[in-house]
Structure formats: C-alpha cells, structure tokens
Amino acid sequence: MKPLVLIPGICLVWGLQSLSAQTPTDSELDIEAFMEERFAFQDEDIDYEDLYESLLQVHLSPLNLQQVTAEQLQSLSILTPLQVESFIGYRDTFGPLLSVYELQAIPEWDLETIGKMLPFVVLKSDPIPLSPPGVRRLKNAENAYFIVRQRRIWQTRKGFSPPDTLSSGTLSSRYLGDPNDVYVRLRLQQPGDFSVGLTAEKDAGEPFTWDTDSRRYGMDFLSLHYTLYNKGALQTFTLGDYQLQFGQGLVFGAGFSVGKGAETVATVRRSSLGLRPYTSVLETGFFRGAAATVTSGNLAWTAMYSSAPRNANVQLLQDSLEASDSYLSSLVLSGYHRTESEIQKKAQAREQNIGGNVHYKNRTNGLQAGVNFLHTRYSQPLLPRARIYNQFEFRGDQNAIGSLYISYNFSNHYLFAESALSKSGGSGSVVGIMSSLSRQLDFSLVWRNFDRNFHSFYGNAFSEGSRPINEEGFYMGMNYKPSRKISWSAYYDHFSFPWLRFRAYAPSSGSEWLSRFTYTPNKSLVLFAQWREERKSRNLLSDEQSANQYLLMEGKRRNFAWNLTYQPTPWWQAKTRIQLSSFLINGRTTRGYAIFQDLSGTINRFNFSGRISLFDTDDFENRQFLFEKNVLWAFSVPSFYGQGMRYYLLAKYKISRQLTCWARWAKTSYTNREGIGSGLQEIPGSEVTETTIQLRYQFNR
C-alpha cells in the first residue's frame, strides 16, 4: 500500500489548497520569478532569452513523472541530489504515481518544492509509438497555437529621422525600415511525439522586404523545425534549426544553464538532454540542417550536419579582387539589419558543422558517459585584427573539437566531469560534485580549466567568462535549511585568467562571493536579503594613469538586495525590493540604487501586473538590472543608470477559450538627461515610452 493512503484526509485537503495557493495555473506561470530566484544579480553577459526559451519549452512539453529520469529532473535546477534520489527510489518501490498530489508523500519533498515543480511535470501513461504525423494529427496537436506580437518605441530615434547632407554631398545613414518590432510564431506540438514550428521576427528599423540577393525573405529572421520523437529505435529526428546539449557543455552547450546564482548547488551541473529544436529569435548559437539520435540498449548515437549562413565583416586581401581571396575580419552577432552597411554583412559567410555524440547510460547504477565531436568549417578564413589580448584566439577556416565526459550518481551525490581538446592543442576541463550531506545541508564543488588557445564555438560550460577560454577557477557552494522557514545559500568562487583579456592587458585573477538568507514564516510571505561582492582587475582608463597605458587595477563591486513578497490569496501578490551597489577602483567609489514596488492580480479572465521603480546611479558601473514581467515568449531585463523612474503595466485578457490578448505599456523618465542613447539609437529628450501588443490563438481548445 502506498504511503499516500495513510495520510489523513484533512492533511490531503490542506495540501491541495496550499498547492493551489502557491502554484500558478498553466496559463499564469511566472517564469520571470522562477529565473530571478536562480540568478545572483543580473548581468549583460548572460543569454537570458535562450534560458527563458528553454524553460518555456519544458513548460509546454512537461516531463512525464511516470518516465522522467534523474538527469531530466536535475536539469530543471530545482531539486537537490537528495530530492532527486528520493523521487526515483519512491517510484521504483511503489510503482507509477496515482496523482500529482502523491508527491506530498515522497520523503524530502516539501510543498515549496512541489509548487516549483508542478508547472514542469505531468502524469501520463506510457506513450504508444506512433508513425510520423500526418495532416490530421498535426491539426489535433495538444500544443497548437499561433502568436503575433508588435512592439514599438514611440519617441523618434535618430535613425528614423530625415537624413542629413554630409560635406561630401551624400546623405547620412538612416534606418531603412519602420520603427515596429514584429514577431510571429506558429507551433504544433504533441509532447513525446512530434514538434513543428515556425518563428519569424523583424526588429525595429529592419525593412519588410523580399530580396534574394541580400537573403531577406519578408521577415528579417526565419527559423523552422520539424522534429519527431520516440519512433522505435529513433529517439529523436529533426530537420531545420536545432541545438545539442551533452556533457558539461564544453562542446555542445545549449539549453538552460544558469551557472552562478542564488541557487548555489543545483545549477552548477549541466545535463545531457541531447537534441532539441531551436525556437528562439537569437540569430547565433544554433545549427541548421539535420540531426538524429538512435538508441540501442544502453547506448544512444547522435549524428548531426549543419550548413548555416552567418553575418560577418568580409575583407579583401590587398592587391586582390578575387572573391576567393577574401577573409572574415569578424562575425557579427547583433542580428540587426537596419542600414545599408548592416545589410551588407548579412549572410556573408557560411558555416558548416558535422559532428556527433555517443552516450552510454547504465539504468541501474546511475553511470553515464559519452564522447562528443564537432568539426566546423567556414567559407572564408576567420582572421580577426591582431591585438595583444586576442593572440591565441581562433584563426583559420576549420576547427575540430572532441571531448570525453562522465557522470555518476550514487546515493545522494552526483559526480561529473568533462575534458575536451580542440584542433589548436588547447584543452578544457570541468570536474565537480553535487552532494546532499544531510536533509538540511547541500554542497557543491566545481573546478574548471580552459587553456588560452582552447576553441569551442558552441560551448557553454560553467565559467566566469561568457566563453570557456583562458580561465581557471574553483567554486564552492552550499545551501543550508535548518527549518522549513529559514534557508541560507552561499558560494565562493576564485578564478584566474592566465593570459590577457579584453580590457585587461596582463594576466589577472579575481574572486566572487554571495550570501542569501531567506525567511518564509508562512505560505503567504517570503523575505530575503542578499549580498554579493566581486573583485576583478581591468585596465585603468588613460585619464586615470600618468605613464603606463596598460596598468591594471583591481575593481571591487558590491551589491545588496532586500526583497519582500506577499501573497495573501491566490489572486493577488505584492513585491517590494531595494537594490544597492557600489564600485571601487583606483581609490574612487561610486554608488547606485534602485527601489521598486510590484503589484499583480487576477480578476476572472483578466490578469494584470504593474511596477513603479526609482533608480539613481553615479555611473555605468552601477547600472541596475531589473527583471520585468512581459507578454508570453518575450523576456525583459533592462538595465538603468543615471537618475529617473520606470513604470510599466501589463494586462492579459482571455477573450475566449482559444484567443488571449496581452497589452503592455512601459515608460522611463530621466531627470538628468537631455538625450538618451547614442548614434542612430539616440532619442532627444528625457523619456522613453514603449508598448507591446500580442495575440495568441490556441487550436483544439
């Protein structure tokens, strides 16, 4: 007999009510709040949009609790090793779950944990292998929807103003398109069976045009995929745009990878989730072609091929007019094609990738191991302009990288490691452990080392830098929960850069620590205080030194956040936050702060949220990053510096079972500026106002 049967009825009713009060419904999932809990302080180097997209994909195609693996559970960065082991042991002992509320009977799973998990899991019987979908099954897909979104800045940027006449008699550059951002998405998805999708986007300033010469076909960016799952031995097959995630991200590093954050234990390890369709609008970091994963016993074989256009600056070799004598001075990652010069860089290079993975999984003892390989070839050599700091960066038209990885789960401990070697001879390694030392204490250790000539174009390993190159570091994290109401999480990370870096023209080192105390006296109130300090060296500016133009000085950045979230009923919530920062370098300290008040609620079919915030910073180093709620599939984490106020209102209305509308208005008012932005993005005045309107039509509702 399952333990759930022994729970008194009154306890079950109470638990059910508590879950409904703490967990948003399917349509009300607050992914922004989920991500905000896992970041220490926001940083512009983090690819938030890809993280956001990855989470939404899991939400729309939730993990089946009847079949979910320890690897998949760990990938959500919610559960501790002890909680993962407890779930797997419970299911192995008592068999399939009868209800999602049976999760309350699993040892080590509290209501807070269950509330965080519910948006990403589902209970389903074993799927029956089906043939590739026909038109009828596509029409009847469980997740089938169409989204269209328009966003606009209402002040006139310089790029949309009439051009000036230059001294040469030519007209100055201006944007060729209108000031509207337009986004379109079509998705037909049956979890565990198939996924078909189209994503299209046009940024503000980009023209809507059909021009094959410049590879523009209506919308500036188009992404398509057709993916099949679980067709006999064929585990996954995809055509179109896709990503891969294996090992610790040294070779294939797509997906939800938080790294250092307020969740100090569960986020340090990458999960081997394999092949997944790419559905974001970022114009880099994905493959375009075909890939497949085939299983045979304990082995899974993945092969992939990609041929994708890449935006690049193309240069001709001196004394040559032949196209074959051209080279790429840099790859352009912004994705903007608003002016003639930006359009000239669109799809000027072609990147071909061929690679694969062999993954071994022992289903009885938690052992996983694998091999990765990726060969990349560019249509022209990539030869960035030589600088002291980039002496060991990739140069040429071909790169190859391979790796070995292993992970082992025993009891309440996860051991993981990956080591890779690139064509240049540079190597990269990550070794770590996640451990539940007791019911109250979780611990993590990670060591990483990336040579200065280690070249990985699709790597996303645990690191201080935005890429795994020229770094060595050691990380320690812990999470202590002495009672249901109190928790303390902290980490310390020491890192060094053996070679020069951008804005650091000498080998350097640094450290970072964070500490967060959380107090939850009841299910309606959450209070936390968080401190963070980072020490890192950089070049002094020329006006800060007298002779040596490459003098380094350690900068010390400190951040503090105090947050109170109050939700007395399931229908409304209030949040108050205070953020403080300081930056010390060369004996000079600057400061900044931000204060905001949020309010959100639900009235029948109407959902709303709003914020008013105040910020004041001395300089750019103290800019304040603030997570904001946005329409579905849009993510917002703007940064503010200077002095001013920020407001936004977001409303969602469910017009019918099939049609939902979102509307968002946001305004930033500065008190110390007469112009905002620079170049063609410059706005005269002290205010910026933006609106967003989105419609979603859901089929089969």
Side-chain angles (χ1 to χ4, degrees):
M1 180 179 293
K2 293 193 174 186
L4 183 65
V5 180
L6 303 178
I7 299 176
I10 187 172
C11 181
L12 180 59
V13 172
W14 172 82
L16 196 147
Q17 291 175 340
S18 299
L19 285 172
S20 65
Q22 295 183 15
T23 307
T25 64
D26 178 77
S27 60
E28 298 170 340
L29 174 63
D30 191 349
I31 292 187
E32 287 83 1
F34 180 88
M35 293 181 64
E36 189 175 16
E37 291 178 357
R38 277 144 184 79
F39 288 100
F41 285 89
Q42 289 67 63
D43 191 295
E44 61 186 353
D45 290 336
I46 299 176
D47 196 351
Y48 294 103
E49 187 169 343
D50 200 24
L51 298 178
Y52 181 79
E53 185 83 16
S54 299
L55 272 177
L56 278 172
Q57 291 301 327
V58 180
H59 173 55
L60 292 178
S61 182
L63 303 175
N64 186 359
L65 288 172
Q66 310 291 38
Q67 297 180 317
V68 67
T69 65
E71 185 81 357
Q72 292 172 321
L73 287 174
Q74 191 277 329
S75 70
L76 292 175
S77 301
I78 296 175
L79 303 177
T80 67
L82 179 60
Q83 289 172 327
V84 173
E85 181 69 16
S86 183
F87 174 85
I88 299 299
Y90 179 91
R91 191 180 61 184
D92 290 344
T93 302
F94 298 104
L97 278 68
L98 301 177
S99 166
V100 70
Y101 295 107
E102 192 177 341
L103 294 175
Q104 296 176 88
I106 299 176
E108 319 308 333
W109 282 49
D110 53 25
L111 289 175
E112 180 184 2
T113 299
I114 297 171
K116 292 178 180 179
M117 288 292 295
L118 285 182
F120 304 104
V121 296
V122 69
L123 275 180
K124 286 186 177 181
S125 57
D126 294 346
I128 300 174
L130 299 172
S131 60
V135 175
R136 178 174 298 179
R137 285 184 46 221
L138 287 173
K139 290 173 60 178
N140 296 327
E142 183 176 318
N143 294 326
Y145 57 87
F146 175 76
I147 287 178
V148 59
R149 180 172 73 229
Q150 182 264 355
R151 175 182 173 271
R152 177 166 180 163
I153 301 292
W154 287 97
Q155 286 75 16
T156 301
R157 297 189 186 275
K158 184 177 181 180
F160 299 108
S161 65
D164 302 319
T165 302
L166 303 177
S167 58
S168 60
T170 59
L171 296 177
S172 58
S173 176
R174 290 294 186 267
Y175 295 149
L176 301 179
D178 60 73
N180 295 298
D181 284 303
V182 181
Y183 171 92
V184 175
R185 185 187 192 107
L186 174 66
R187 188 75 179 269
L188 306 172
Q189 182 183 35
Q190 186 66 38
D193 187 6
F194 65 84
S195 176
V196 179
L198 163 68
T199 304
E201 184 196 44
K202 181 195 83 67
D203 292 309
E206 294 177 340
F208 186 88
T209 184
W210 192 277
D211 183 5
T212 56
D213 292 338
S214 59
R215 297 176 178 84
R216 291 178 292 164
Y217 309 100
M219 293 286 204
D220 182 75
F221 177 72
L222 296 173
S223 178
L224 292 157
H225 77 267
Y226 174 81
T227 305
L228 299 176
Y229 302 99
N230 304 317
K231 306 301 182 235
L234 184 64
Q235 178 177 307
T236 311
F237 171 77
T238 191
L239 289 173
D241 296 344
Y242 61 92
Q243 292 180 310
L244 295 167
Q245 183 175 342
F246 289 106
Q248 297 308 305
L250 290 179
V251 179
F252 298 116
F256 181 56
S257 303
V258 176
K260 292 185 288 186
E263 172 50 65
T264 57
V265 176
T267 58
V268 301
R269 175 182 179 267
R270 304 293 188 256
S271 298
S272 294
L273 299 179
L275 174 61
R276 67 186 187 100
Y278 180 76
T279 55
S280 180
V281 293
L282 298 175
E283 299 187 25
T284 59
F286 64 92
F287 300 109
R288 176 168 291 176
T293 298
V294 177
T295 59
S296 175
N298 290 336
L299 290 176
W301 306 76
T302 299
M304 57 81 63
Y305 173 77
S306 169
S307 179
R310 297 296 185 222
N311 303 329
N313 285 303
V314 179
Q315 307 291 334
L316 292 177
L317 295 173
Q318 293 183 351
D319 303 324
S320 174
L321 297 178
E322 296 293 331
S324 60
D325 293 330
S326 64
Y327 68 94
L328 310 176
S329 59
S330 65
L331 298 176
V332 180
L333 306 180
S334 69
Y336 291 125
H337 305 104
R338 303 162 296 186
T339 64
E340 290 288 357
S341 61
E342 289 178 346
I343 292 172
Q344 290 174 1
K345 301 171 186 177
K346 183 178 176 67
Q348 290 300 300
R350 181 156 292 274
E351 179 190 273
Q352 293 187 356
N353 286 277
I354 185 169
N357 167 269
V358 180
H359 184 81
Y360 170 82
K361 180 179 179 180
N362 190 309
R363 304 181 186 277
T364 59
N365 64 10
L367 174 65
Q368 297 186 74
V371 180
N372 291 314
F373 175 76
L374 181 65
H375 181 271
T376 304
R377 183 185 183 95
Y378 289 105
S379 53
Q380 302 108 301
L382 178 60
L383 303 173
R385 187 175 180 181
R387 291 286 188 268
I388 298 175
Y389 68 87
N390 70 2
Q391 179 177 344
F392 296 96
E393 289 283 355
F394 173 79
R395 283 176 168 78
D397 63 354
Q398 295 185 57
N399 185 53
I401 182 172
S403 75
L404 299 172
Y405 64 88
I406 187 171
S407 65
Y408 184 59
N409 174 25
F410 65 98
S411 185
N412 306 321
H413 313 281
Y414 284 137
L415 292 169
F416 54 91
E418 182 176 13
S419 185
L421 184 68
S422 63
K423 180 184 177 183
S424 62
S427 64
S429 298
V430 175
V431 179
I433 183 172
M434 290 168 41
S435 179
S436 290
L437 301 180
S438 69
R439 292 184 176 182
Q440 293 79 32
L441 182 61
D442 301 303
F443 189 67
S444 62
L445 292 174
V446 181
W447 171 82
R448 73 271 189 189
N449 182 68
F450 313 123
D451 288 347
R452 58 188 180 181
N453 62 334
F454 177 63
H455 303 144
S456 178
F457 300 153
Y458 292 89
N460 185 23
F462 186 95
S463 63
E464 166 65 18
S466 58
R467 298 181 300 139
I469 186 173
N470 184 36
E471 179 180 330
E472 183 175 359
F474 184 77
Y475 170 96
M476 297 182 294
M478 59 83 67
N479 193 324
Y480 179 57
K481 195 168 185 177
S483 70
R484 182 183 61 83
K485 297 181 179 181
I486 300 174
S487 66
W488 174 39
S489 58
Y491 72 74
Y492 175 80
D493 186 37
H494 183 273
F495 43 83
S496 62
F497 309 106
W499 185 244
L500 286 60
R501 305 169 68 238
F502 178 66
R503 296 185 67 189
Y505 283 0
S508 59
S509 63
S511 64
E512 179 181 346
W513 63 263
L514 174 138
S515 180
R516 174 187 276 199
F517 291 92
T518 303
Y519 178 56
T520 310
N522 53 61
K523 64 178 182 290
S524 301
L525 186 65
V526 178
L527 172 68
F528 74 76
Q530 181 171 284
W531 296 263
R532 172 180 175 256
E533 180 179 289
E534 180 188 56
R535 297 170 179 261
K536 190 183 296 184
S537 298
R538 71 169 199 192
N539 294 340
L540 284 177
L541 301 177
S542 58
D543 58 357
E544 296 177 324
Q545 51 186 310
S546 57
N548 188 348
Q549 297 299 309
Y550 302 113
L551 181 65
L552 264 64
M553 185 69 69
E554 182 182 76
K556 181 192 296 183
R557 190 185 311 277
R558 288 177 172 172
N559 300 89
F560 169 79
W562 178 89
N563 188 96
L564 174 67
T565 302
Y566 180 57
Q567 186 176 358
T569 74
W571 316 117
W572 73 276
Q573 181 189 84
K575 179 190 291 186
T576 304
R577 174 171 292 191
I578 300 173
Q579 294 184 182
L580 306 174
S581 68
S582 67
F583 183 72
L584 169 64
I585 190 170
N586 199 24
R588 178 174 177 265
T589 301
T590 56
R591 293 179 171 84
Y593 72 84
I595 303 172
F596 71 72
Q597 178 64 55
D598 283 358
L599 183 66
S600 58
T602 301
I603 303 175
N604 297 324
R605 296 184 177 184
F606 180 73
N607 298 76
F608 70 89
S609 60
R611 169 181 295 176
I612 179 170
S613 57
L614 174 69
F615 58 90
D616 189 353
T617 69
D618 293 337
D619 55 12
F620 184 74
E621 296 290 352
N622 286 280
R623 62 196 182 279
Q624 302 294 312
F625 292 87
L626 303 177
F627 273 101
E628 295 183 348
K629 293 180 183 294
N630 211 323
V631 303
L632 186 67
W633 299 107
F635 188 67
S636 179
V637 56
S639 63
F640 304 97
Y641 69 97
Q643 187 180 82
M645 298 188 73
R646 169 78 169 179
Y647 324 80
Y648 78 80
L649 291 172
L650 172 66
K652 184 183 77 169
Y653 182 70
K654 197 170 184 61
I655 301 171
S656 67
R657 293 183 61 186
Q658 294 177 300
L659 187 61
T660 306
C661 174
W662 288 263
R664 187 177 190 265
W665 171 87
K667 181 178 181 178
T668 306
S669 299
Y670 293 91
T671 59
N672 63 342
R673 294 192 191 183
E674 296 182 357
I676 303 170
S678 60
L680 296 183
Q681 288 289 91
E682 182 180 358
I683 295 175
S686 60
E687 295 183 345
V688 180
T689 305
E690 65 178 89
T691 59
T692 305
I693 298 175
Q694 177 168 291
L695 288 172
R696 179 184 64 179
Y697 183 81
Q698 294 176 281
F699 306 94
N700 306 321
R701 284 293 177 115

